[in-house]
Amino acid sequence: MGKKEGGVRTRITAGELEEVALFATLSAAQREHVAREASVESIAPGGLYFSERAASTGFHVLLSGRVKLFKVAEDGKEQIIYIFGPGEPFCLCSVFSDGKHPANLAALESSRVLVLAPRQFERLSKEDPALLLVLLQVMSRRLKEAMEMIDALSLKQIPSRIAAYFLTHARGESVRLGVTHREFAKIIGVTPETLSRTLTKMAKMGLIEQRDGEIRMLDRQLLEGCRDGTCA
């Protein structure tokens, strides 16, 4: 596994940066500065961007598409750790540590990534410390979600894992998965067949409704009970 397979570099404009939440609070001059210093890399669907065997440096923000952070076991089984969507920073360890990655990262669909060298990112952070506060909030949220995933994968039964994921990622009363059924099974740590059977069972129990890649939570209270281990 290597680093940045098939990446194509382009540039970005200050106007495009204004549409990215992370940079929206910066001044026009600061966005111009970022646009001059940053590059944009494209990843084809399925393309490997980073591996845990390769070191890299830089601040990365996903501009479009979707990428997955994952580990591969000795037997070849893949466990997805996190899925990043547009506007999210990732590989933060490459900015704040030695640049070595604890996992692999690949594109689920055609994706574009903004890359800012560590020196430029450090200078930008000094000019606008609010950027670091935003990153701290992001890292805190991800740490909480990581702890919840560890708890779910190691201690909970499959319906409880699924309920925990839905409740964590819900926007209102629904969850848009944004990934294939097979990829979602890798997140939960089960086979696609087991996932299908469990989702069908949860739908029959009146917990959820499945529709075109979206999960609607029909009874949040029952789903919370399922998450806590009271699924029938």
Side-chain angles (χ1 to χ4, degrees):
M1 301 177 82
K3 172 178 176 286
K4 296 185 182 179
E5 294 184 358
V8 178
R9 287 178 177 258
T10 57
R11 308 299 297 182
I12 192 169
T13 67
E16 289 178 281
L17 285 176
E18 192 172 4
E19 301 301 316
V20 181
L22 200 63
F23 301 110
T25 60
L26 300 181
S27 67
Q30 288 172 323
R31 283 194 293 270
E32 288 285 355
H33 176 73
V34 173
R36 285 195 303 270
E37 299 289 348
S39 63
V40 176
E41 297 182 345
S42 299
I43 325 170
L48 180 69
Y49 191 63
F50 285 130
S51 83
E52 56 187 311
R53 297 180 183 177
S56 67
T57 56
F59 176 65
H60 303 76
V61 180
L62 188 64
L63 298 175
S64 63
R66 244 169 232 282
V67 297
K68 63 178 178 179
L69 187 68
F70 65 99
K71 297 279 287 186
V72 179
E74 292 182 359
D75 62 2
K77 182 179 179 182
E78 182 181 299
Q79 173 65 56
I80 294 180
I81 300 171
Y82 201 91
I83 291 179
F84 299 98
E88 290 195 85
F90 62 87
C91 295
L92 296 176
C93 56
S94 69
V95 179
F96 299 111
S97 67
D98 57 9
K100 293 182 179 180
H101 293 276
N104 313 290
L105 190 132
L108 290 168
E109 56 191 64
S110 182
S111 303
R112 295 169 64 241
V113 180
L114 178 142
V115 184
L116 195 64
R119 185 173 298 177
Q120 280 76 36
F121 176 75
E122 181 179 349
R123 183 162 61 245
L124 179 63
S125 299
K126 289 179 179 178
E127 293 175 359
D128 187 0
L131 185 61
L132 292 177
L133 178 59
V134 172
L135 288 183
L136 181 60
Q137 292 170 338
V138 169
M139 295 174 74
S140 297
R141 172 173 55 83
R142 289 190 189 157
L143 178 60
K144 179 177 181 291
E145 291 176 359
M147 295 302 294
E148 289 174 347
M149 175 176 284
I150 291 170
D151 174 60
L153 291 177
S154 60
L155 302 175
K156 296 183 182 296
Q157 297 297 314
I158 295 170
S160 297
R161 299 182 202 174
I162 296 173
Y165 183 91
F166 290 162
L167 289 165
T168 298
H169 294 84
R171 295 295 180 270
E173 295 304 314
S174 64
V175 181
R176 176 156 292 280
L177 297 180
V179 293
T180 65
H181 189 84
R182 184 171 295 276
E183 295 292 346
F184 183 51
K186 292 176 183 177
I187 296 174
I188 302 301
V190 298
T191 65
E193 295 75 19
T194 299
L195 175 63
S196 291
R197 288 195 298 270
T198 307
L199 288 174
T200 298
K201 179 182 178 181
M202 293 174 73
K204 289 180 178 178
M205 293 169 61
L207 297 173
I208 62 170
E209 179 182 59
Q210 302 181 70
R211 186 184 300 170
D212 299 327
E214 186 172 86
I215 303 294
R216 193 159 71 90
M217 300 187 297
L218 300 179
D219 193 318
R220 179 179 284 268
Q221 187 173 353
L222 286 179
L223 205 60
E224 289 173 349
C226 186
R227 175 197 60 194
D228 298 335
T230 61
C231 278

